[in-house]
Amino acid sequence: MITVKNLHKSFHTQNGTIEVLKGIDQQIEKGEKVVVVGPSGSGKSTFLRCLNLLEKPTDGEIWFEGQQINTPQCDVDLLRRKIGMVFQHFNLFPHLTVRQNITLAPVTLKLKTQQQADEQAMSLLERVGLSDKAGAYPGQLSGGQKQRIAIVRAMAMEPDVMLFDEPTSALDPEMVGEVLKVMKELANDGMTMVVVTHEMAFAREVGTRVLFMDGGTILEQADPETFFTHPKTQRLQDFLDKIL
Amino acid sequence: MQPISTAASASFFSGLSGQFYQCFVQDNRYQYILTGLGNTLVITVFAVLIGVVLGTLVALIRIAHINNPQKLRVLNGIANLYLTVIRGTPVVVQLLIMYYIIVVGTPISDVGTAILAFGINSGAYVAEVIRSGIQSVDHGQIEAGRSLGLSERTTMVKIVFPQALKNVLPAIGNEFISLLKETSVAGYIGIQDLTKSGDIIRSITFLPYTPLLTTAAVYLVIVIGMSALLTKFERRLHRNDNR
């Protein structure tokens, strides 16, 4: 479904060029739940953001559903409809109600009428237990509620794959559970997911494959069981020792 | 001591009503004030409109260029020149240049000339206010919009602008208020605005206090009214964020 070949990404800063991704090769199949872990600065988020072109790859190829996406011919807006994204800081639209947050894109892009979108929003809100918040503004919600709404907002576009960029990192510890629960349900429904996270329990329980990134490359990847119990590299062993 | 001060204050008050009569009632002189107020308001309102349209355009050009330095290089150069020249020269000089150099030979009226000059002047300040307002919206908002498949334009219109408006409203309001007061130099090109009217009455009657203080009071009342309106509007916009 997603094929990444020799992906490179550099950022130009005042202090020179920083190479964040140094050649990533990945094949992600439909229905997989790929969890990406690694220390900060290892390029996890950049890798994820390259998949929907929020970052433009410097070199290499990214293919999505049989189409190369990092070419000028690719219609980025059309592509992004198929790739949902959930951000660390939620990025809900503060000037719109919860319902408007969810229905804005489907209605503006003429994929649904306002009425259809409203109905869909209500049934999605019910699934995440927030149907009573439809008329509320993001400023009135807790972090966990905001993130659940953000997930619903991405789901309303009925994407083929969903990307999660540290979805629980900005949350109070007591709110992490409610967000992970929604993500687990989404996984059980068969959604293809790529999740950057520090939640090892989630990686273990939900992931079908875990990637370990360090220094801009994928150092190791395996199914969760092997990944956590039999790490092959010393670097991963050290990383796991520190966080588990 | 006592009788003298009483007599003085009595004569002062009888003098005040006499002055009032002389300044505003005699020969229907209040009409100077009405005409002046009308001109001041017309110039301010239309200059504000020009300023907002021009300022928004310039701000959009500058933002588009900042986001993608390849785009709009020429237009951005013009916009920068405009901002530098307008913000670097006094408004009176701009008004005189407009009157004696630019609109000469055109059928544009004096009031029209003033509207153009003040509108173009205000646009430069509004542009910077709007630019900072747009840039103050968190970049994550744009990313969220784009990640949903919305185009750059739609993201700006539906997500960024409404939030930017909220951020810039106080500053834009201040710009309107200072514009109203800046139009008091319209007399330089012979327009009978509010200030000029007060001065005309002063020169006819040789009484400085009443006409000039009245003029000041009228400005003050308008500004207080505008501030109150703005506060109300702002409160309505902020009703939805208990952040």
Side-chain angles (χ1 to χ4, degrees):
Chain A
M1 184 177 212
I2 302 176
T3 308
V4 179
K5 291 180 195 164
N6 194 28
L7 175 64
H8 285 261
K9 173 67 188 176
S10 311
F11 288 105
H12 301 285
T13 67
Q14 284 167 332
N15 304 325
T17 304
I18 300 168
E19 195 174 25
V20 180
L21 299 179
K22 300 170 181 167
I24 304 251
D25 292 285
Q26 240 337 280
Q27 175 77 35
I28 296 168
E29 302 298 342
K30 193 168 171 10
E32 268 198 295
K33 291 94 181 73
V34 177
V35 180
V36 187
V37 302
S40 337
S42 58
K44 312 181 293 285
S45 286
T46 307
F47 167 60
L48 194 74
R49 289 160 58 85
C50 279
L51 296 181
N52 68 349
L53 297 181
L54 279 182
E55 303 293 352
K56 241 178 118 191
T58 319
D59 197 13
E61 293 177 13
I62 302 175
W63 292 69
F64 178 73
E65 295 181 343
Q67 240 196 331
Q68 190 180 350
I69 60 172
N70 58 330
T71 63
Q73 288 81 30
C74 172
D75 184 337
V76 183
D77 295 335
L78 220 52
L79 164 80
R80 287 179 179 146
R81 294 185 191 181
K82 298 275 128 216
I83 304 180
M85 176 122 185
V86 175
F87 299 87
Q88 181 177 356
H89 296 288
F90 332 128
N91 297 352
L92 291 181
F93 309 131
H95 61 299
L96 300 178
T97 63
V98 165
R99 188 197 283 109
Q100 289 167 331
N101 262 278
I102 300 166
T103 61
L104 175 72
V107 173
T108 307
L109 296 170
K110 299 199 167 64
L111 305 175
K112 288 190 167 65
T113 65
Q114 184 66 52
Q115 199 196 338
Q116 288 170 330
D118 281 342
E119 281 166 16
Q120 181 201 31
M122 286 316 292
S123 78
L124 285 172
L125 282 174
E126 216 150 292
R127 267 176 66 182
V128 300
L130 289 172
S131 47
D132 56 326
K133 299 292 184 191
Y137 284 87
Q140 302 162 331
L141 304 177
S142 73
Q145 291 171 331
K146 282 185 199 169
Q147 195 60 300
R148 283 187 278 161
I149 302 290
I151 294 172
V152 165
R153 180 177 67 178
M155 285 165 71
M157 288 298 291
E158 296 168 8
D160 295 343
V161 56
M162 280 181 68
L163 313 176
F164 293 81
D165 190 2
E166 302 201 19
T168 57
S169 298
L171 295 175
D172 288 344
E174 66 206 278
M175 291 170 180
V176 171
E178 62 193 64
V179 171
L180 291 182
K181 181 166 162 278
V182 170
M183 290 170 63
K184 267 177 223 166
E185 286 167 7
L186 195 57
N188 291 337
D189 289 348
M191 177 64 75
T192 311
M193 293 161 71
V194 185
V195 185
V196 171
T197 187
H198 296 295
E199 295 292 330
M200 295 304 146
F202 177 83
R204 201 162 202 162
E205 190 183 339
V206 180
T208 54
R209 193 149 55 94
V210 186
L211 311 183
F212 176 62
M213 280 187 73
D214 190 31
T217 55
I218 295 174
L219 225 54
E220 195 165 338
Q221 56 175 307
D223 62 278
E225 186 56 33
T226 322
F227 186 89
F228 288 106
T229 50
H230 304 290
K232 286 198 283 281
T233 59
Q234 188 59 42
R235 184 70 191 85
L236 175 56
Q237 180 66 59
D238 292 346
F239 179 73
L240 292 176
D241 285 348
K242 257 181 233 157
I243 55 164
L244 290 179
Chain B
M1 290 299 271
Q2 191 97 9
I4 296 171
S5 91
T6 313
S9 75
S11 83
F12 177 74
F13 278 111
S14 69
L16 198 65
S17 72
Q19 279 197 11
F20 183 83
Y21 178 83
Q22 239 187 311
C23 290
F24 300 119
V25 183
Q26 197 180 341
D27 298 336
N28 284 338
R29 284 182 190 143
Y30 69 91
Q31 286 194 340
Y32 284 116
I33 297 286
L34 285 187
T35 312
L37 179 61
N39 278 335
T40 290
L41 290 180
V42 165
I43 292 171
T44 305
V45 167
F46 286 99
V48 159
L49 289 179
I50 293 179
V52 167
V53 171
L54 201 59
T56 309
L57 263 168
V58 170
L60 289 181
I61 290 169
R62 304 239 305 155
I63 295 245
H65 180 76
I66 289 166
N67 289 344
N68 185 354
Q70 258 71 266
K71 273 202 300 198
L72 303 175
R73 229 183 270 164
V74 176
L75 276 177
N76 184 60
I78 296 172
N80 278 334
L81 182 70
Y82 163 70
L83 293 179
T84 309
V85 170
I86 294 295
R87 295 195 302 165
T89 54
V91 66
V92 180
V93 177
Q94 291 164 20
L95 182 68
L96 291 175
I97 290 174
M98 182 65 76
Y99 186 69
Y100 287 109
I101 300 176
I102 297 175
V103 300
V104 170
T106 63
I108 299 174
S109 69
D110 289 359
V111 170
T113 306
I115 288 172
L116 265 180
F118 288 117
I120 289 170
N121 178 272
S122 175
Y125 295 94
V126 172
E128 288 300 90
V129 167
I130 291 183
R131 183 179 64 82
S132 69
I134 291 175
Q135 286 181 329
S136 73
V137 175
D138 178 20
H139 194 68
Q141 292 289 310
I142 299 175
E143 289 188 346
R146 297 305 305 276
S147 79
L148 288 166
L150 300 175
S151 67
E152 194 172 355
R153 179 188 298 253
T154 311
T155 304
M156 285 306 254
V157 171
K158 300 250 174 181
I159 295 164
V160 177
F161 288 165
Q163 297 181 55
L165 179 68
K166 217 183 263 190
N167 295 342
V168 303
L169 203 70
I172 293 267
N174 283 337
E175 174 54 27
F176 290 178
I177 287 171
S178 53
L179 183 63
L180 171 81
K181 292 178 296 179
E182 270 176 17
T183 61
S184 62
V185 299
Y188 266 93
I189 59 168
I191 292 174
Q192 189 195 320
D193 73 323
L194 185 55
T195 304
K196 189 75 185 167
S197 303
D199 199 42
I200 289 172
I201 298 176
R202 178 196 60 75
S203 64
I204 296 174
T205 57
F206 295 106
L207 295 169
Y209 289 94
T210 312
L212 295 183
L213 292 182
T214 305
T215 304
V218 174
Y219 278 113
L220 192 60
V221 167
I222 300 174
V223 168
I224 289 171
M226 279 166 90
S227 300
L229 258 168
L230 268 164
T231 311
K232 209 171 161 188
F233 191 44
E234 233 176 282
R235 204 171 291 151
R236 183 188 292 181
L237 277 179
H238 279 284
R239 206 167 39 191
N240 301 328
D241 42 24
N242 317 1
R243 273 183 284 192

